[in-house]
Amino acid sequence: MLEIIKYIILGIIQGITEIFPVSSSGHLTLFSHLFNIDLSNLTIFLMITNTGSFLALLLFFRKDIKDLIVGTFKFLFKKEENYKPDFEYVVKLIIAVIPIGIFGLLFKDMLPEDLLSVGFALIVTSILLFYVYIVRDIEWKKDISWKNALIIGSFQMFAIFPGISRSGITMSGGLIQKIELKKVLKFSFLSYIMVSVPVMLLGFYEALNASESIHVVGYSLAFVMSFVFSLISVRILYKYVKVKNLIYFAIYCLIVGGISLILHFI
């Protein structure tokens, strides 16, 4: 029963922290330390919980995804010019995920996952969010340009470091360029969905070669918790969070980063 509770908690943590700008990888590293669990022995578990978050976002943005797919098809194959913005948006998403794809393949197995690194990375996330909060009173742009997409992608590639929030750094990369929060959130999560497809395929491949004892009940409940809490979190974030609220996430990341550093040294 204790093991099941641990998996449920980790599933909830994954679901919430994957969406909010507070770093899922950082929290999983911290709580695996508190629960005395070795994350390197949880390849299948992490793949399952990440799939839960992916499916939740897929469900939430299903209409946007459908419109982009249909619009791109009609522009490319039916030459309907009024759907060109959909095609261009898809290309911008591709541009944004290329840096993290390349960076992830090159450095994935070289990244530290200790509490010291996570602590400093969370503090970096905190500083980025705090900076965006400070410069919040500006005139926001209406659209994401090609340059904006490339810069957002350049920010996003640093999210492979445990403790750097993917949504947080992507959000910061967009907001620093004066793009409206909801437009940044949509672009951020759609790029996450796009990059998650090859990442999940790689995860399935690694899972097939992993010698991991599977706790069927615990893993299943963790998947459900990850899906449910990701869906709840993205609805809350998309509907209620404003730039002025980012100060709370900045403070939270600073506190959790400090806790990680303290636990490392004691």
Side-chain angles (χ1 to χ4, degrees):
M1 180 58 69
L2 183 59
E3 286 299 304
I4 291 176
I5 292 173
K6 285 182 180 179
Y7 290 131
I8 289 174
I9 293 173
L10 288 176
I12 293 172
I13 291 169
Q14 162 64 26
I16 296 173
T17 58
E18 185 64 60
I19 305 302
F20 289 129
V22 293
S23 177
S24 61
S25 59
H27 277 75
L28 288 175
T29 300
L30 174 59
F31 277 87
S32 66
H33 176 83
L34 294 175
F35 291 162
N36 196 27
I37 296 175
D38 185 359
L39 282 180
S40 62
N41 294 326
L42 291 179
T43 302
I44 299 175
F45 175 81
L46 294 175
M47 182 267 295
I48 288 173
T49 52
N50 280 320
T51 301
S53 294
F54 168 78
L55 291 176
L57 288 172
L58 201 63
L59 177 62
F60 183 79
F61 288 102
R62 63 191 181 278
K63 185 180 183 303
D64 297 285
I65 294 170
K66 178 185 175 182
D67 290 344
L68 287 172
I69 292 173
V70 171
T72 298
F73 177 83
K74 287 185 176 181
F75 174 75
L76 289 177
F77 299 102
K78 295 190 176 181
K79 309 302 180 182
E80 297 184 26
E81 286 295 321
N82 55 313
Y83 288 101
K84 184 177 180 180
D86 292 323
F87 167 72
E88 291 183 340
Y89 194 90
V90 171
V91 176
K92 289 172 185 176
L93 288 172
I94 294 172
I95 290 172
V97 301
I98 288 174
I100 192 172
I102 295 173
F103 210 58
L105 288 173
L106 291 176
F107 300 104
K108 178 177 177 291
D109 298 323
M110 300 168 57
L111 299 173
E113 295 184 353
D114 57 280
L115 287 175
L116 179 64
S117 301
V118 165
F120 280 119
L122 280 165
I123 291 172
V124 170
T125 297
S126 173
I127 292 170
L128 284 171
L129 293 173
F130 185 67
Y131 174 76
V132 171
Y133 166 77
I134 291 174
V135 298
R136 66 190 182 280
D137 296 322
I138 57 179
E139 184 178 348
W140 301 102
K141 296 178 182 177
K142 295 187 179 297
D143 298 306
I144 296 175
S145 68
W146 299 101
K147 179 182 177 182
N148 295 149
L150 181 58
I151 293 175
I152 290 174
S154 300
F155 270 74
Q156 187 172 222
M157 71 180 181
F158 292 102
I160 67 169
F161 291 96
I164 297 291
S165 167
R166 184 205 56 79
S167 62
I169 198 165
T170 308
M171 194 186 302
S172 300
L175 292 173
I176 286 172
Q177 298 180 85
K178 304 179 181 180
I179 302 169
E180 291 179 356
L181 179 58
K182 285 195 175 181
K183 292 184 183 296
V184 174
L185 287 175
K186 177 181 173 181
F187 191 83
S188 171
F189 287 123
L190 287 177
S191 64
Y192 168 82
I193 291 171
M194 182 172 285
V195 79
S196 289
V197 175
V199 169
M200 284 173 54
L201 292 175
L202 180 60
F204 279 115
Y205 174 77
E206 291 179 346
L208 291 174
N209 297 295
S211 56
E212 179 179 335
S213 57
I214 300 174
H215 195 300
V216 177
V217 176
Y219 280 33
S220 300
L221 289 173
F223 168 79
V224 173
M225 292 298 103
S226 177
F227 173 82
V228 170
F229 279 86
S230 288
L231 189 57
I232 293 172
S233 298
V234 73
R235 284 176 175 170
I236 292 172
L237 187 68
Y238 206 72
K239 187 172 183 179
Y240 297 109
V241 173
K242 302 181 184 301
V243 178
K244 65 180 182 181
N245 301 138
L246 295 181
I247 184 64
Y248 301 113
F249 293 110
I251 293 170
Y252 177 80
C253 287
L254 183 62
I255 292 171
V256 177
I259 292 172
S260 298
L261 293 177
I262 291 170
L263 290 175
H264 172 79
F265 288 109
I266 62 173

